[in-house]
Amino acid sequence: MLTFGAVCQIAQILLLREFLTVFHGSELSIGLVLGAWLVWIGIGSRLGAVWSDRHRRPLTWLALGAALQIPVLPGTIALVRMSRLFFDAAPGAHLSLPDMALASLLLPAPACLLFGAQFVWLSRIWRENDGAADTSGAGKTYASEAAGNMLGGILFTFVLVHGLNPIESAVLAGVAMLVVFLLALRIPCRYRRALWGVPVLAVAAFPFLGAADDGAYRVQWRQFLPRHRLVETRPSRHGVIAVSQQGDQVSFFQSGHLVFTAAGPDTPEPGLEDQEAAAMAHVAMAQHARPRRILLIGGGLRGTLGEMIKYPVERIDYVELDRALTDTARPYLPRSTLETLADPRVRLIHADGRLYTKTTRETYDLIVVDVPDPATAALNRFYTREFFGEAKARLHPDGALVIGAVSTPDLRGMAIAHRNATLYHTVRSVFPRVRVGGRQFMIFACSRDSGALSVDPAELSKRYRERGIESEGFSERQFDILLREPQLSRVNWIVRRHGRSADAYRQSPAAPPLAPGSLADIERAESTWPPVASRRFVNTDFRPIATYYTLMFWDDLAGGDRVNLFRGPLRVEPTWILPPLGLALAIALVLRLRARRNGRDGAVRRFAVLFAVFTTGLSTMALQIALIFAFQSVYGFVYEMIGMIVAVFMGGLALGAWAVQRKVADKTNVRMLASVQGAIALLAVLIAAALPRVAMTPAPTLVLAVFFGLTFMAGLINGVDFPLATACCLALNRPAEQSTAVVYGMELFGACLGAILAGVVVAPVLGIVACCLLAAAVNGMACVILAISRGGAH
């Protein structure tokens, strides 16, 4: 059972990481993939129960299922990488939300159906081996599987990910499960020899799996960028690094997300990518009278650092997250970039830029953040109110922060207007002085009270000339192109005014007047406008609305004239949870009244138990999604740690299930089940209150310990619930395997709904704390309904 649980967990982590790459690092895929995984596991368990009732050889079917997983698991990984083949997605465009949902739903189905059926078969084998007629076999199976899940997460995080590629890991996991089943279980002799041939063939094919893994990657990238040549892929703790080349242009991706593009080592003259980096660098350097000490987060490998070092600076601290990315990029970079990295004034720091800003004692004249748009929670961390506050604390009194994001001329399009207005209002909530400018790329220059901030092209050109800077990729005339009037006034009018009404998120910004006035006029008028609707237009670590608007913008670009499904969830309000909870309460009350009339309370108890199981699955998954999003917001490397996070959750789940099996004599006690629902609700409230405060703690080790502690508690209380619920279900005169399948399936259905709601709607739109409050609300209602089902019982 431990092996089965470990293989399930390894398979889940492998698929999560593959989907994260195919979906360009978007955390929305976590909710979609977990939801699909859970619903197919639930269906598989139900089918396994039906099959178990009709057949007397669960051992044989269990082993056959394990044998099938050996080709199914690596085949699923290959299909995930090739998923763009099945959709009408333009080269280079991201898959739309419907495409993501469909791929997440269909591709894991074969593996999950097998896992779900195997769980029920193992429960039956355990029960028959114990000679029991109750659901103790299910409880033991559940606890042992959870312990195996924990073991699988640890093995993947510390062993498999460092030594094997994903397809090799999948094959090895399947072989291990089948071999353990063949050695530990009494499989009929006539099948044993044939089954032993499967792992032998798999081991014989092992030397060819590296080529298969590489071939699947090449198909994936040929579909995504058909005109680019995939030069190299390299595993990293932060995501698979892919290097593609088109002519003399080299692009670097991580987890499927474009990190930067640079000119190749043999490029004779600066290209477009160098000009963009140069523009960012020179606009930023012009925001301070004499920038001496500079912090650059990201961007150094694409050329921003090379332009900044041309100024008479004392030191530039260049922070780049991934050493593996730097090492991979070096052979493909132009000599000028390599010389810049070797400059004694440059201090290259391989660290998380957010964590470095939060913990360093250094102070700077200028902080430049040159990272990709906030399309993921990991990137969004550099565009939140909390980060801007941390950056402000690292600046000298006359220092400036400069950050940028993709834009469109006059902010055409609702999604990009929402996103860039949100970035303005967010940074404006921290810095009293903000200057905005740009056409295809919007730059935000911010300070406490610096008179040097400017987006006036004449003033910036003057400063550039006075400093005597010479650049092949930039000239003073480009300031006028980047910051040309009247585009500058129109953009400022839009980003400053949009988002100040309660329904602004539902519509595009109002068109600016023909003559919006000078920037000084707009700033004066801004003080008279209504306050910002902060819930929809201020981006925070725990309400990453800028990420949602960015994905909405990309979906607009990918979807053409299709209905934009991202707009619907924006209308969701926290009060929407009340009608379904009220309906559940009404059903319970009606059933209770009927029970008093006819003296039979089986219906109300059955409803109460199954509702409790459903809400436990929903709430624990919502809490897990909340903790994963919070971890990503604080640390930014969930790709590396997803195995450990799930392992800790499953460790708590295993302990909870084991404790109930060993310590609780009367597992059919509805009062105890109700107490568990109440405890889940209280834990959810505790997590909602603790997470934002913990995230502000400057000690990263303490934050990590608290995160893992809360994750363990969420798993523990879920583990306590399952054996109690299966026992209560059995007491309602259901056969053991059917009770197991019904409870397991209902819990997984709730967890599926929780994963999708929390991962796709609640966390990105309403915030991470709202996920916890959702969990508290549904489990609180489950506690009430269980109390109603007991009626006058003692």
Side-chain angles (χ1 to χ4, degrees), residues 373 405-423 439-440 442 494-495 498 509 549-550 552-554 556-557:
D373 282 8
V406 168
S407 189
T408 59
D410 290 342
L411 288 173
R412 295 173 194 147
M414 185 175 81
I416 197 65
H418 282 1
R419 203 278 305 278
N420 286 1
T422 296
L423 296 186
R439 185 176 174 86
Q440 304 287 41
M442 184 168 286
I494 292 171
V495 297
H498 187 50
Y549 290 149
T550 301
M552 184 175 165
F553 170 57
W554 285 358
D556 278 346
L557 295 178

Side-chain angles (χ1 to χ4, degrees), residues 10-204:
I10 290 169
Q12 186 185 80
I13 295 169
L14 285 170
L15 291 181
L16 270 173
R17 287 164 61 106
E18 292 295 330
F19 275 112
L20 271 172
T21 299
V22 170
F23 297 155
H24 310 283
S26 171
E27 289 83 7
L28 295 186
S29 64
I30 295 177
L32 292 171
V33 174
L34 287 178
W37 177 277
L38 293 165
V39 75
W40 286 118
I41 291 279
I43 293 171
S45 68
R46 183 59 182 162
L47 294 175
V50 173
W51 194 266
S52 180
D53 289 341
R54 296 179 180 178
H55 299 274
R56 297 182 177 179
R57 294 176 178 174
L59 290 172
T60 301
W61 293 111
L62 187 67
L64 286 172
L68 283 172
Q69 290 287 25
I70 294 176
V72 166
L73 288 178
T76 302
I77 290 173
L79 284 174
V80 171
R81 293 181 187 173
M82 301 174 189
S83 56
R84 293 181 67 91
L85 288 168
F86 312 123
F87 302 106
D88 184 23
H94 290 207
L95 291 176
S96 67
L97 184 60
D99 294 343
M100 291 169 60
L102 189 59
S104 302
L105 177 64
L106 296 182
L107 295 181
C112 294
L113 288 171
L114 286 171
F115 282 134
Q118 285 175 301
F119 177 85
V120 176
W121 296 337
L122 280 165
S123 299
R124 175 179 170 180
I125 292 167
W126 203 318
R127 179 179 63 81
E128 292 177 347
N129 186 63
D130 290 346
D134 58 15
T135 58
S136 58
K140 293 177 180 178
T141 304
Y142 190 77
S144 300
E145 183 202 19
N149 290 155
M150 179 183 67
L151 178 63
I154 293 171
L155 282 173
F156 183 86
T157 301
F158 295 106
V159 180
L160 296 181
V161 75
H162 299 291
L164 300 174
N165 65 51
I167 288 182
E168 289 172 342
S169 296
V171 171
L172 183 62
V175 167
M177 181 167 64
L178 179 56
V179 168
V180 169
F181 284 175
L182 290 173
L183 293 175
L185 302 176
R186 298 176 182 175
I187 310 295
C189 294
R190 56 182 171 175
Y191 299 109
R192 185 179 293 272
R193 183 175 299 174
L195 288 171
W196 271 112
V198 178
V200 170
L201 289 174
V203 171

Side-chain angles (χ1 to χ4, degrees), residues 27 55 128 198 234 270 298 300 333-334 350 352 357 372 383 417 419-420 433 481 561 655 659 719 725 773:
E27 289 83 7
H55 299 274
E128 292 177 347
V198 178
R234 179 173 177 175
L333 297 176
H350 285 113
D352 172 42
T357 305
Y383 295 87
R419 203 278 305 278
N420 286 1
R433 294 175 64 87
I481 297 172
D561 57 356
L655 180 61
L773 297 180

Side-chain angles (χ1 to χ4, degrees), residues 370-438:
D370 191 11
V371 299
D373 282 8
T376 68
L379 294 170
N380 187 70
R381 303 158 65 238
F382 297 100
Y383 295 87
T384 64
R385 182 169 58 195
E386 291 84 352
F387 171 70
F388 295 143
E390 292 160 4
K392 182 180 178 182
R394 302 273 67 81
L395 286 171
H396 292 143
D398 62 343
L401 167 73
V402 179
I403 192 167
V406 168
S407 189
T408 59
D410 290 342
L411 288 173
R412 295 173 194 147
M414 185 175 81
I416 197 65
H418 282 1
R419 203 278 305 278
N420 286 1
T422 296
L423 296 186
Y424 170 76
H425 293 311
T426 303
V427 76
R428 184 67 175 78
S429 69
V430 176
F431 289 94
R433 294 175 64 87
V434 181
R435 296 289 182 270
V436 183

Side-chain angles (χ1 to χ4, degrees), residues 245 247-250 262-270 331-336:
Q245 186 169 10
D248 57 1
Q249 182 188 66
V250 185
D266 301 322
T267 304
E269 57 185 26
Y332 306 101
L333 297 176
R335 181 179 300 175
S336 59

Side-chain angles (χ1 to χ4, degrees), residues 449-790:
D449 191 24
S450 172
L453 287 189
S454 177
V455 287
D456 178 5
E459 175 62 26
L460 299 183
S461 297
K462 176 185 174 184
R463 295 176 187 178
Y464 184 80
R465 285 195 307 272
E466 289 175 348
R467 295 174 186 180
I469 306 299
E470 294 184 3
S471 172
E472 295 179 356
F474 191 83
S475 72
E476 63 177 275
R477 291 187 298 275
Q478 288 180 258
F479 286 117
D480 187 60
I481 297 172
L482 292 168
L483 305 170
R484 179 176 297 168
E485 285 281 3
Q487 158 81 8
L488 189 62
S489 295
R490 289 197 299 267
V491 164
N492 270 271
W493 192 93
I494 292 171
V495 297
R496 293 168 186 266
R497 188 176 181 88
H498 187 50
R500 295 179 181 270
S501 63
D503 61 348
Y505 65 92
R506 298 185 179 184
Q507 55 198 4
S508 297
L514 293 177
S518 67
L519 291 185
D521 294 336
I522 294 172
E523 286 185 6
R524 282 191 293 270
E526 184 178 8
S527 63
T528 67
W529 292 338
V532 176
S534 59
R535 201 180 79 185
R536 304 289 187 180
F537 287 94
V538 173
N539 189 44
T540 69
D541 284 344
F542 285 82
R543 193 175 58 248
I545 191 67
T547 296
Y548 198 83
Y549 290 149
T550 301
L551 294 176
M552 184 175 165
F553 170 57
W554 285 358
D555 201 57
D556 278 346
L557 295 178
D561 57 356
R562 294 180 308 181
V563 175
N564 191 322
L565 296 182
F566 279 91
R567 299 182 186 184
L570 285 175
R571 295 177 170 83
V572 173
E573 297 290 341
T575 54
W576 286 17
I577 188 62
L578 297 179
L581 292 183
L583 177 62
L585 179 61
I587 292 172
L589 290 172
V590 169
L591 292 175
R592 179 74 265 170
L593 290 173
R594 288 180 58 186
R596 285 182 178 177
R597 291 173 184 170
N598 58 29
R600 299 176 182 177
D601 61 359
V604 65
R605 291 206 174 193
R606 184 177 297 109
F607 173 76
V609 169
L610 293 181
F611 183 75
V613 171
F614 171 81
T615 57
T616 298
L618 189 153
S619 60
T620 50
M621 185 52 64
L623 290 176
Q624 194 171 5
I625 291 290
L627 288 163
I628 288 174
F629 269 68
F631 185 92
Q632 183 78 320
S633 294
V634 174
Y635 282 97
F637 52 95
V638 74
Y639 182 90
E640 175 195 10
M641 294 299 292
I642 188 71
M644 263 320 286
I645 294 170
V646 176
V648 170
F649 179 86
M650 289 301 175
L653 190 146
L655 180 61
W658 175 85
V660 171
Q661 285 296 128
R662 295 294 299 271
K663 304 296 182 181
V664 178
D666 181 15
K667 301 180 184 62
T668 62
N669 190 327
V670 176
R671 178 182 294 177
M672 181 176 294
L673 185 61
S675 299
V676 172
Q677 306 308 306
I680 295 174
L682 289 175
L683 175 65
V685 173
L686 172 65
I687 293 175
L691 277 180
R693 292 168 175 79
V694 169
M696 298 300 292
T697 304
T701 304
L702 176 61
V703 175
L704 190 65
V706 173
F707 269 122
F708 281 150
L710 293 174
T711 302
F712 182 84
M713 288 298 298
L716 178 72
I717 205 160
N718 187 33
V720 168
D721 186 83
F722 182 82
L724 294 177
T726 51
C728 288
C729 193
L730 181 67
L732 297 171
N733 300 318
R734 284 181 177 269
E737 270 69 51
Q738 284 194 16
S739 296
T740 300
V742 167
V743 172
Y744 193 53
M746 186 62 70
E747 182 187 67
L748 291 176
F749 176 63
C752 167
L753 184 60
I756 294 172
L757 282 177
V760 180
V761 179
V762 180
V765 176
L766 299 180
I768 295 169
V769 170
C771 289
C772 303
L773 297 180
L774 168 67
V778 297
N779 273 100
M781 182 56 70
C783 180
V784 171
I785 289 176
L786 282 167
I788 290 172
S789 75
R790 293 181 66 247

